[in-house]
Amino acid sequence: KFQNKVSSGINAEWPLRPGILSSKQTFREFVKKKPDPTENKMNTLFIVTLVAFITATVQETCPSKPMKAEIIKAPESVLEYNIGDRVSIVCAAHATPAPVVYWKRGKGKKAVPLPTRSNSISVLYFDAIQKEDYDTYQCVVETCCNGKDISTDVDIVIPNGEPDCNKKYGDENVVFGVDWKYATHDQAKANCEALGMELAVIKSAEENAQLLTDMKVSFNRHPNANKFDDDNWLWIGGTDKEEEGVWKNLYTNEELEYFNWEKPNQPDNWVGEPGSDEYNEGGQDYLAINRDSGLWDDSFNVLKRPYACRCLKRDGTGRGVSRRHSRK
């Protein structure tokens, strides 16, 4: 245990107690020294000195009352950059002893550490950010004594990433626009409405097929979609919150007539694992669609995922009809 702590301290260039050792090179030479067995006095001196060094280093590395780590400079949760911009994001933390700060790319268990480890402060830097760099990043703070890491997330997105029904994805007849942002079902509905749209309510197999096409085109072309490579589900409009099994249009309160459930046993109204963040005694009351298959599932409002908004007509007089369809 001592070796791990000392090695960590030396590699991170933590300060050693004055009067014992003053440099990494001196320490390495010291521990590699092989005393002459015939020189008992030298052996004794070596052992006494090593014990003193161990005591001093451990005291310096892990004090009896270590200070809890605190992030003192955290990035905003969402930062916008255009492709080609220079990006420099600082994350700094304070603790006793000094914490190690570094960045990860991604969310949860699949997040990948980046070579950015440093004492107290770490910088996430891109000389010229590219499409493949848009993602969620985590600033992680490690301490040797408290035994717990703390972290904060930042989403790097391209500006004006909201749904755009005017050729944004290269298709003149887009009916649905995807917003590649993390949102609960309630937030997704509010975000679409703030843009003058509605959270997409699917009314037919034709509309479901159109949404599937629009989702795939958007996912392959939009930089903000990168972070959702392992998350296939998007919110659409529909709920059975009022009465279990009776799915309704969010805006008219009429019962939905078209469904495209993923499995024969869907919707299953699963309540989640007790104690988990998504646990809900009322079960799953909101609709989500799979961007690869176009199949549906019932889900928990608290889950954060991207969402599809229904675009306005070209003349702004209604929702959900492209120019191609409006000619009929």
Side-chain angles (χ1 to χ4, degrees), residues 284-298:
Q284 299 170 309
D285 298 326
Y286 298 89
L287 286 182
I289 187 170
N290 188 295
R291 62 173 168 80
D292 288 330
S293 65
L295 298 176
W296 299 7
D297 187 23
D298 56 341

Side-chain angles (χ1 to χ4, degrees), residues 2 36 195 210 212 253 292 306:
F2 161 73
D36 186 345
L195 297 168
Q210 178 68 62
L212 180 60
N253 207 37
D292 288 330

Side-chain angles (χ1 to χ4, degrees), residues 65-73 92-101 120 140-151:
K65 294 183 179 180
M67 179 185 294
K68 184 178 180 180
E70 176 186 8
I71 296 179
I72 57 176
K73 182 173 179 58
H94 176 65
T96 302
V100 174
V101 183
S120 300
V140 182
V141 179
E142 279 185 0
T143 59
C144 72
C145 303
N146 294 320
K148 291 185 178 180
D149 299 343
I150 56 175
S151 64

Side-chain angles (χ1 to χ4, degrees), residues 1-40:
K1 292 181 179 179
F2 161 73
Q3 183 181 13
N4 291 337
K5 289 180 178 179
V6 172
S7 297
S8 298
I10 293 302
N11 291 334
E13 299 184 4
W14 290 356
L16 302 178
R17 184 178 293 278
I20 301 299
L21 291 173
S22 58
S23 72
K24 292 188 292 181
Q25 184 62 33
T26 303
F27 171 72
R28 292 194 177 100
E29 291 176 351
F30 178 78
V31 296
K32 289 179 180 179
K33 181 180 177 182
K34 296 181 179 179
D36 186 345
T38 62
E39 298 180 3
N40 294 331

Side-chain angles (χ1 to χ4, degrees), residues 272-321:
E273 295 291 341
S276 67
D277 292 339
E278 61 187 30
Y279 179 72
N280 178 13
E281 291 183 355
Q284 299 170 309
D285 298 326
Y286 298 89
L287 286 182
I289 187 170
N290 188 295
R291 62 173 168 80
D292 288 330
S293 65
L295 298 176
W296 299 7
D297 187 23
D298 56 341
S299 194
F300 299 103
N301 176 56
V302 296
L303 296 179
K304 293 189 175 183
R305 48 180 46 143
Y307 47 92
C309 299
R310 180 181 286 268
C311 298
L312 298 172
K313 279 185 179 180
R314 297 292 178 178
D315 60 6
T317 60
R319 294 181 172 87
V321 182

Side-chain angles (χ1 to χ4, degrees), residues 158-177:
I158 196 168
N160 302 318
E162 69 274 1
D164 184 346
C165 299
N166 297 314
K167 301 183 182 180
K168 186 176 185 72
Y169 310 129
D171 183 347
E172 188 180 25
N173 297 309
V174 168
V175 174
F176 303 100

Side-chain angles (χ1 to χ4, degrees), residues 58-112:
V58 171
Q59 287 177 348
E60 185 70 25
T61 303
C62 282
S64 58
K65 294 183 179 180
M67 179 185 294
K68 184 178 180 180
E70 176 186 8
I71 296 179
I72 57 176
K73 182 173 179 58
E76 295 181 16
S77 58
V78 179
L79 294 175
E80 296 184 344
Y81 295 96
N82 288 303
I83 292 177
D85 282 355
R86 178 174 295 177
V87 176
S88 181
I89 306 174
V90 177
C91 183
H94 176 65
T96 302
V100 174
V101 183
Y102 65 97
W103 290 89
K104 287 184 176 181
R105 177 172 179 165
K107 291 179 70 69
K109 296 180 180 179
K110 294 184 178 181
V112 178

